[in-house]
């Protein structure tokens, strides 16, 4: 029962990026993070990440991204600390990327975009018993965001890259085990920005405490090119469309403050 965001993504019209914003939403994501407007909060504690690679189950192309899904029926893989009051359970990670290396990330830092962005999704298992419940609550989710930059090959990512051709089409799924998402985190996870936001795909619910890492990771040009070989479309469809530019347009800050864990 890995937490597939089937609920989040099942019946939605294809162009989720644009018009479908939550009417009256005042904490939508993604946003641009203006470094100089962020507020250092010395009370933010270090993040505590504890992942068990044995909870890794499968990779699934859901027609928006590919999700690496984890067994979230126990507290074997968790995130706590930082701004979080509760313990959050790892349920999946996925990426957003562009058609070229000039753009692709959802968040930006002082308007600087990266070619891709990793999202590691966790839900509040102290307060809720299922992802599908937590996704509707304002303290329901915690998502770690990590920027990807083109550079040296990422050895840990290669196992995932090698599995992607097996999930080329929408709704394809392949078994994928023993993958530790901690290998995708930057060395320094103590420096991050945090703000109250939302899912960036439907249902766009305002349930996410965002934790955007200051330090990026590097992946090679060829590794990212494999992401772009995925398709938005299922095998039966007549016209195939490359899975690229699967990021949402940036949203208004609406008076929110972004806090930093570093000065
Ligand atoms: C649950 C979830 C979170 C994000 S950020 C996404 O893109 C899809 O699903
Ligand atoms: Zn995402």
């Amino acid at each position: 029962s890995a937490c597939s965001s089937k609920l989040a993504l099942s019946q939605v019209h294809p162009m989720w990026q644009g018009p479908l914003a939550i009417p009256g939403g005042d904490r939508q994501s993604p946003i641009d993070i203006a470094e100089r407007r962020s507020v250092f909060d010395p009370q933010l504690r270090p993040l505590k990440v504890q992942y068990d690679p044995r909870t890794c189950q499968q990779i699934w192309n859901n027609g928006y991204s590919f999700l690496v899904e984890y067994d979230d029926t126990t507290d074997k893989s968790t995130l706590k600390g930082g701004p979080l009051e509760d313990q959050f359970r790892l349920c999946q990670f996925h990426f957003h990327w562009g058609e070229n290396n000039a753009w692709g990330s959802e968040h930006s830092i002082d308007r600087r975009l990266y070619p891709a962005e990793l999202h590691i999704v966790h839900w509040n298992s102290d307060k809720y018993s299922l992802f599908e419940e937590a996704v509707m609550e304002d303290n329901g989710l915690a998502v770690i965001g990590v920027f990807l930059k083109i550079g040296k090959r990422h050895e840990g990512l290669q196992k995932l890259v090698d599995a992607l051709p097996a999930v080329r089409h929408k709704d394809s799924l392949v078994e994928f085990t023993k993958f530790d998402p901690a290998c995708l985190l930057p060395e320094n996870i103590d420096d991050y920005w945090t703000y109250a936001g939302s899912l960036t795909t439907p249902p766009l619910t305002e349930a996410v405490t965002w934790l955007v890492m200051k330090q990026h990771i590097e992946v090679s040009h060829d590794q990212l090119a494999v992401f772009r070989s995925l398709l938005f479309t299922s095998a039966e469809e007549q016209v195939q469309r490359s899975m690229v530019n699967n990021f949402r347009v940036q949203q208004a800050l609406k008076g929110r403050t972004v806090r930093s864990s570093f000065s």
Side-chain angles (χ1 to χ4, degrees), residues 94-96 106 117-119 121 143 199-201 210:
H94 62 274
F95 299 80
H96 303 265
E106 297 212 300
E117 184 174 332
L118 159 66
H119 287 161
V121 181
V143 181
L199 295 193
T200 64
T201 55
W210 279 96

Side-chain angles (χ1 to χ4, degrees), residues 54-87:
R54 288 168 302 174
T55 56
C56 190
Q57 288 184 319
Q58 63 203 15
I59 307 179
W60 178 52
N61 178 334
N62 65 7
Y64 295 89
S65 183
F66 60 92
L67 306 188
V68 178
E69 298 187 308
Y70 287 73
D71 168 22
D72 61 353
T73 55
T74 74
D75 271 330
K76 283 203 187 85
S77 292
T78 58
L79 167 67
K80 50 184 188 275
L84 306 174
E85 299 302 317
D86 297 318
Q87 176 166 275

Side-chain angles (χ1 to χ4, degrees), residues 75-116:
D75 271 330
K76 283 203 187 85
S77 292
T78 58
L79 167 67
K80 50 184 188 275
L84 306 174
E85 299 302 317
D86 297 318
Q87 176 166 275
F88 288 69
R89 230 178 248 182
L90 169 68
C91 64
Q92 52 106 326
F93 71 82
H94 62 274
F95 299 80
H96 303 265
W97 61 90
E99 65 189 84
N100 60 46
N101 295 330
W103 63 76
S105 62
E106 297 212 300
H107 293 91
S108 53
I109 307 300
D110 290 334
R111 298 283 166 207
R112 174 188 180 177
L113 292 164
Y114 288 82

